[in-house]
Amino acid sequence: MEAGKVAAEARLGDSELGVRELAGKYLTFSLGSEEYGVGILKVREIIGVMEITAVPHTPHYIKGVINLRGRVIPVMDLRLKFGMPGKEYDERTCVIVVEVQGRSGPVQVGMVVDSVSEVANITAGEIEPPPALGSSRETENILGMAKLKGSVKILLDVDRVVGDGLLQHFQEM
């Protein structure tokens, strides 16, 4: 089932079906004091921060592009995308390379995160639908909330985080 459809079902109150569909393996990572997770099937690799070439006329959260084994990959800073203050990159800063569906096929995008934690197997019983925090626009990037080891991890819809606008911008280059 398509991730966006699953997220919509979870938001629309068909929470049991949506949560059951969300169960699986997630790569967990941190941004500040918050913990997040992305579906492991979307992750292509994890790399250290490398030289990023700035690209003019891109949104503020786009750091630029990297050359990864001959492929040019756009890189976004998730802290900036989520409205958090920027942070100096350090030895724990990583780029998670994910693959999302673009208009003309799969596209790889790098997401800068503070640190990668682990791959967690999250069961349906550990996932709840996203809370109602005002408009659905504010939670559209969230698939669900996972309760693991006494903490909450925010499960992200990578396709929505990356967004069609960003993909279209880089596919037209």
Side-chain angles (χ1 to χ4, degrees):
M1 186 176 281
E2 188 177 319
K5 185 174 179 184
V6 171
E9 287 175 354
R11 283 192 295 276
L12 293 174
D14 195 4
S15 59
E16 189 174 319
L17 173 62
V19 165
R20 200 168 50 241
E21 293 288 331
L22 293 175
K25 293 187 184 297
Y26 288 82
L27 176 67
T28 61
F29 60 90
S30 66
L31 293 174
S33 61
E34 305 299 323
E35 289 283 323
Y36 296 86
V38 293
I40 196 71
L41 296 177
K42 291 286 189 178
V43 176
R44 290 297 155 247
E45 61 186 293
I46 303 163
I47 59 174
V49 176
M50 54 187 359
E51 184 178 336
I52 300 174
T53 303
V55 177
H57 307 294
T58 57
H60 73 284
Y61 56 86
I62 302 300
K63 300 306 286 182
V65 295
I66 58 173
N67 179 348
L68 186 62
R69 290 186 294 285
R71 288 182 318 222
V72 175
I73 297 176
V75 176
M76 67 170 40
D77 188 316
L78 279 191
R79 280 179 154 271
L80 301 178
K81 170 78 174 174
F82 293 162
M84 302 168 114
K87 177 185 169 225
E88 193 75 29
Y89 297 162
D90 60 28
E91 68 278 350
R92 295 191 44 85
T93 305
C94 296
V95 177
I96 301 171
V97 179
V98 296
E99 188 168 272
V100 295
Q101 194 59 40
R103 294 186 196 280
S104 59
V107 178
Q108 292 188 354
V109 177
M111 301 186 310
V112 177
V113 301
D114 292 352
S115 64
V116 170
S117 304
E118 65 180 341
V119 174
N121 191 23
I122 302 176
T123 65
E126 296 170 316
I127 302 173
E128 290 187 11
L133 300 172
S135 72
S136 64
R137 174 115 177 103
E138 292 159 350
T139 58
E140 70 182 0
N141 295 336
I142 302 174
L143 292 172
M145 311 299 267
K147 301 169 289 184
L148 290 174
K149 302 175 188 169
S151 68
V152 175
K153 300 198 186 311
I154 301 167
L155 304 180
L156 297 175
D157 182 339
V158 173
D159 293 290
R160 288 188 180 263
V161 169
V162 171
D164 277 342
L166 172 68
L167 290 178
Q168 184 177 355
H169 177 81
F170 281 100
Q171 287 181 324
E172 291 173 356
M173 287 178 59

